[in-house]
Amino acid sequence: MILIDGKKAAAELREELRHEVTGLKAKYNKVPGLTVILIGDLTPSQIYVRNKEKSANEVGLKSEVIKYPDSVEEKTVLEKIKELNKDETVSGILVQLPLPKHIDKQKVIETILPSKDVDGFHPMNVGNLSSGYESSVPCTPLGCYLLIKKVEPNLNGKKAVIVGRSNLNGKPMTQLLLKENCTVTITHSKTKDLKAECLEADIIVAAVGIPELVKGDWVKRDTIVIDVGINKTDKGIVGDVDFDEVSKNAKALTPVPGGVGPMTIACLLKNTIECFKRSQI
Ligand code: GUN
């Protein structure tokens, strides 16, 4: 079984990006800038944002975090986003989710200029991705995609089963694999026989948020399994895949932690650099 080392893949990607930023600095005499807006004091969000900032600095990006208390008015956040949209030193804007209830997530997402939307959540980017045009691609599925390609560069005709249909993961993951000529099945909570669907798969991407849902006997011997889940349980953090069981059967599997997570952050940096490059044309 191949244990897909997301930490190593992310470190390699960051190294590539660091070189690219050096080249961009020489060419344009400026570096891409990432601004993250963090609202409230949820611990996981704070940890994510700290990691994003650290990684951005590591590859030489200009990075800034703007923090607001939970009680901040929606209007204040929207005004700040509009200001950042106009700021030429800001290539990418990310508003960390989840947001407090009184702030309209969709309004926030749609206020970010599509050309600075490093999350790829703006409807314009969603539409461009599904039409096969140039777009920002959500960081987690992009990270999953790059890990899959490392194990299997030619995905032509492969059968992929996505478990979970979220806008964050399942749907964009589908688009990325369709572009690679995979036959993609999207499954979800109402799917009749999830095990039978998974048993057909050459590639499984599990992104449902149900601890250890995908079992060993759901997986063929030559299947690549990507686990997007991060679930807090009594026995600590586990993914959506039963690691002990599936690792005995699958061809390749990502661990949790140390699989998809590190790649997500590296892909955010990649997206920031792509936004910068497109803005220079
Ligand atoms: N919170 C958890 N994952 C993400 C993500 O990919 N983007 C943003 N903006 N917030 C998140």
Side-chain angles (χ1 to χ4, degrees):
M1 211 270 308
I2 303 167
L3 186 64
I4 304 173
D5 188 343
K7 252 186 175 171
K8 181 159 164 261
E12 286 166 6
L13 178 54
R14 285 198 303 273
E15 186 57 21
E16 266 174 46
L17 297 174
R18 198 173 62 79
H19 279 288
E20 191 170 4
V21 172
T22 307
L24 292 170
K25 194 173 179 183
K27 187 170 175 190
Y28 297 109
N29 198 29
K30 54 187 171 185
V31 294
L34 172 65
T35 297
V36 174
I37 297 179
L38 174 61
I39 302 169
D41 49 12
L42 284 177
T43 310
S45 292
Q46 285 180 331
I47 296 171
Y48 283 136
V49 170
R50 210 177 309 131
N51 286 336
K52 283 169 186 172
E53 197 178 18
K54 183 170 155 267
S55 303
N57 289 329
E58 196 183 313
V59 304
L61 301 184
K62 183 175 94 65
S63 123
E64 178 192 23
V65 179
I66 299 171
K67 291 184 183 168
Y68 291 112
D70 243 332
S71 57
V72 69
E73 276 188 59
E74 181 183 274
K75 190 172 64 158
T76 309
V77 178
L78 298 180
E79 286 308 314
K80 175 53 82 177
I81 293 172
K82 286 176 193 163
E83 188 187 313
L84 296 169
N85 281 343
K86 289 189 210 129
D87 184 339
E88 278 189 20
T89 69
V90 176
S91 322
I93 304 166
L94 179 145
V95 180
Q96 183 68 28
L97 303 176
L99 296 173
K101 284 205 172 58
H102 66 280
I103 298 182
D104 182 338
K105 180 178 85 173
Q106 203 54 22
K107 220 185 229 177
V108 166
I109 289 172
E110 292 183 21
T111 302
I112 299 172
L113 265 185
S115 58
K116 296 194 178 192
D117 166 34
V118 280
D119 264 325
F121 293 165
H122 192 289
M124 182 91 94
N125 281 316
V126 176
N128 278 338
L129 177 64
S130 70
S131 303
Y133 301 138
E134 190 169 64
S135 69
S136 280
V137 178
C139 306
T140 302
L142 181 57
C144 294
Y145 165 80
L146 294 174
L147 291 176
I148 295 166
K149 289 282 279 184
K150 262 188 187 287
V151 180
E152 180 58 69
N154 182 5
L155 300 178
N156 227 351
K158 299 278 183 202
K159 182 146 174 46
V161 172
I162 319 280
V163 187
R165 55 177 152 180
S166 70
N167 291 338
L168 213 80
N169 290 302
K171 285 180 196 158
M173 191 73 238
T174 303
Q175 300 301 343
L176 289 171
L177 292 174
L178 269 179
K179 253 194 209 170
E180 291 287 319
N181 301 320
C182 287
T183 302
V184 186
T185 303
I186 312 175
T187 65
H188 45 76
S189 56
K190 305 285 186 299
T191 296
K192 283 228 170 82
D193 190 346
L194 196 49
K195 177 180 172 182
E197 297 292 345
C198 286
L199 274 170
E200 296 280 315
D202 302 307
I203 300 160
I204 296 173
V205 179
V208 269
I210 301 175
E212 299 179 319
L213 175 72
V214 178
K215 301 293 178 199
D217 62 357
W218 292 25
V219 173
K220 290 187 299 179
R221 287 245 161 241
D222 58 351
T223 303
I224 300 169
V225 183
I226 305 292
D227 190 350
V228 181
I230 302 176
N231 306 295
K232 249 191 195 167
T233 68
D234 294 344
K235 59 178 196 182
I237 302 283
V238 301
D240 292 349
V241 175
D242 188 324
F243 184 89
D244 291 341
E245 284 189 14
V246 172
S247 59
K248 292 188 188 108
N249 273 0
K251 171 178 164 185
L253 172 62
T254 58
V256 176
V260 173
M263 279 303 276
T264 297
I265 294 184
C267 286
L268 170 65
L269 311 178
K270 184 175 165 57
N271 280 352
T272 306
I273 295 168
E274 295 300 325
C275 285
F276 172 84
K277 288 196 290 189
R278 287 198 285 269
S279 73
Q280 299 307 308
I281 294 165

